[in-house]
Amino acid sequence: MKSATHDASARQHSRGPSPVAGHGGNRNERARKPVLSEIEDEIAGLLDRSTPELRLAWRQLHRAGPPLGLSRGLLIRALANQLQERSYGGVSRALRRRLQSLAGASENATMAVDPGLSLKAGTTLVRQWRGQTHTVLVHNDGFEHEGQRYRSLTAIAERITEAHWSGPRFFGLTKRARALAGAKAGR
């Protein structure tokens, strides 16, 4: 039987801590620490800059002046975000496209559902209410119920129940509604 050795090579193979400062441990963490402190220092330095200096930094970054009325606090947050994106990477192209599509739908007042929901055109939603079955057809630009078009599920739910209801919840499209339906089915 071999005796335990306490040399660096034994620790290196056992993934134990190395007696040499700066060696061993998590390589990714070790590589990130200097970058993290540099970014933290740059962000902390933003607080010490004057507002004209912050505006100049914005101009250098965006090749245009900051929006009118942008407060100093928002200017600092936006610059800090840009520093972090430069170091760690920004949002993916897919997320950027999704956000632009949601923003466009919101501006055009065509957004009919919660952004968390993805209902494809042609989907049929069915809900029983007081003994009557209600069917809703999903379109690209809204919903159809009993031959009438609606912009939101909430409008349909309110028409059916004659009371204020969240449309996605009424049709069981939220986590809470699904949990309640599961609890009732288990009784």
Side-chain angles (χ1 to χ4, degrees):
M1 196 166 159
K2 289 185 178 181
S3 62
T5 59
H6 294 292
D7 63 282
S9 64
R11 284 191 188 88
Q12 188 174 27
H13 295 295
S14 69
R15 302 242 185 246
S18 172
V20 180
H23 290 83
N26 186 342
R27 288 182 182 156
N28 292 333
E29 186 176 322
R30 197 173 61 228
R32 265 188 257 147
K33 282 185 180 177
V35 173
L36 182 63
S37 65
E38 288 173 20
I39 296 303
E40 287 175 343
D41 289 344
E42 282 188 66
I43 291 172
L46 292 174
L47 295 171
D48 297 332
R49 289 186 176 184
S50 68
T51 303
E53 290 174 329
L54 292 171
R55 290 175 198 264
L56 179 63
W58 180 283
R59 276 188 211 94
Q60 290 170 344
L61 189 64
H62 296 285
R63 296 187 179 101
L68 294 175
L70 192 64
S71 70
R72 176 182 164 75
L74 284 176
L75 194 55
I76 290 171
R77 288 183 185 105
L79 289 170
N81 180 61
Q82 291 296 319
L83 289 171
Q84 291 172 341
E85 279 189 3
R86 189 172 18 142
S87 293
Y88 306 122
V91 296
S92 67
R93 287 182 182 158
L95 178 58
R96 191 178 310 271
R97 280 192 305 269
R98 176 77 173 134
L99 290 172
Q100 286 174 342
S101 127
L102 289 171
S106 177
E107 288 172 4
N108 298 336
T110 59
M111 188 166 69
V113 264
D114 177 11
L117 297 176
S118 293
L119 297 174
K120 293 183 180 180
T123 301
T124 303
L125 304 173
V126 180
R127 171 68 151 91
Q128 290 218 350
W129 178 259
R130 295 192 175 160
Q132 187 176 359
T133 302
H134 297 276
T135 305
V136 173
L137 180 62
V138 178
H139 292 279
N140 284 328
D141 60 344
F143 305 92
E144 183 178 333
H145 175 255
E146 295 179 349
Q148 286 191 318
R149 298 290 289 261
Y150 295 88
R151 215 181 103 222
S152 71
L153 286 173
T154 300
I156 297 170
E158 288 177 351
R159 182 165 186 263
I160 293 170
T161 63
E162 298 178 353
H164 180 71
W165 267 83
S166 160
R169 185 171 174 202
F170 179 78
F171 286 99
L173 300 174
T174 63
K175 289 179 186 175
R176 184 173 177 189
R178 285 190 292 263
L180 289 173
K184 286 181 182 178
R187 286 185 190 170

